[in-house]
Amino acid sequence: MDGVGSFGAGRAGTTIDPIVFAKQPQTILRVLSWIFSLVVFASIVNEGYVNMGSERLHCVFNKNADACNYGVFVGLVGLLACSFFFLLDYKFSSISSVKDRKKAVMLEIGFSGFWAFLYFVSFCFLANQWSRTTPDELPLNQGADAARAAIAFSFFSIITWAGLTVRAVQKYLLGTDMTLFTTEHVGDGAPAQPYPPNTYQSPPFTENNAAPTYQVPIY
């Protein structure tokens, strides 16, 4: 476990290698989620509304404005969230507090799982409204490519956000295991043995050790 900190990141203060960070599965999933969210958002904003002989714009998804608004909302918030969590991933090793790391991982689990669900709703909602759209509502097939792109990349986003959720759960479980590991080895370690008492005692003075007395010789 040398060189590994809590929740799967390096120890606080360690230098982050950008190349190693870019090759991590979590980073790749994060970048893909960012791209997919951008496609969903941009497709609807740029070509998701059509003008059908009037000044009023209509949503390409069965003229349902709620479908376009929902797709824009999920894509835009997902785009911003990916940017935030990307920075959090890069700075994660600099977080010295184990409690703060745990909160960051739990936030990622909750948001990623919830956004995977919202993209699932987006895919079902947009696909359902698109299936009800008649060719007469889209003259010259206007906005069809954008609608198909929004639906397809909503589906792809389900996979990437679900993958991010799984990776976050793995980080949380790893952090829990390392906490137990530290507790068992530090808290349950054998107590240090005290130094043995000093048993050395100087020998007491005895009569045999006393200096001899001087006696005057008798001539």
Side-chain angles (χ1 to χ4, degrees):
M1 305 300 289
D2 293 341
V4 179
S6 59
F7 295 98
R11 297 182 184 277
T14 56
T15 304
I16 301 175
D17 188 348
I19 298 178
V20 176
F21 175 76
K23 292 181 179 180
Q24 292 178 354
Q26 182 170 338
T27 303
I28 297 174
L29 289 173
R30 191 83 66 195
V31 173
L32 290 177
S33 298
W34 189 90
I35 295 174
F36 296 163
S37 295
L38 178 62
V39 172
V40 173
F41 169 74
S43 297
I44 298 177
V45 170
N46 293 332
E47 300 181 21
Y49 297 89
V50 296
N51 188 341
M52 302 179 61
S54 63
E55 296 181 355
R56 183 178 180 181
L57 296 177
H58 297 277
C59 179
V60 295
F61 295 99
N62 196 29
K63 297 183 180 180
N64 190 342
D66 292 336
C68 286
N69 293 336
Y70 184 84
V72 170
F73 167 75
V74 174
L76 178 60
V77 176
L79 185 68
L80 297 176
C82 284
S83 302
F84 169 77
F85 283 109
F86 183 85
L87 294 176
L88 182 61
D89 291 340
Y90 191 77
K91 297 293 185 180
F92 192 76
S93 296
S94 63
I95 302 176
S96 59
S97 174
V98 177
K99 292 183 179 180
D100 292 340
R101 287 190 177 192
K102 182 178 180 181
K103 292 178 182 179
V105 174
M106 293 182 66
L107 175 63
E108 184 179 358
I109 293 175
F111 186 89
S112 298
F114 181 62
W115 225 249
F117 171 75
L118 290 188
Y119 264 116
F120 174 76
V121 175
S122 174
F123 170 74
C124 296
F125 188 21
L126 297 182
N128 176 266
Q129 293 301 307
W130 179 246
S131 65
R132 298 183 180 183
T133 304
T134 60
D136 296 338
E137 296 177 353
L138 298 177
L140 302 177
N141 210 25
Q142 184 180 3
D145 292 338
R148 295 190 185 98
I151 295 173
F153 283 92
S154 292
F155 176 77
F156 297 151
S157 295
I158 299 172
I159 300 175
T160 56
W161 282 99
L164 289 172
T165 305
V166 173
R167 293 292 301 178
V169 171
Q170 291 175 346
K171 288 172 59 178
Y172 179 81
L173 295 177
L174 179 61
T176 304
D177 292 341
M178 291 196 66
T179 303
L180 294 175
F181 175 84
T182 305
T183 303
E184 291 175 356
H185 285 71
V186 176
D188 297 338
Q193 295 293 334
Y195 288 104
N198 187 4
T199 58
Y200 175 78
Q201 295 180 356
S202 59
F205 290 99
T206 60
E207 295 181 356
N208 295 332
N209 294 332
T213 58
Y214 177 77
Q215 297 179 357
V216 179
I218 302 173
Y219 295 98

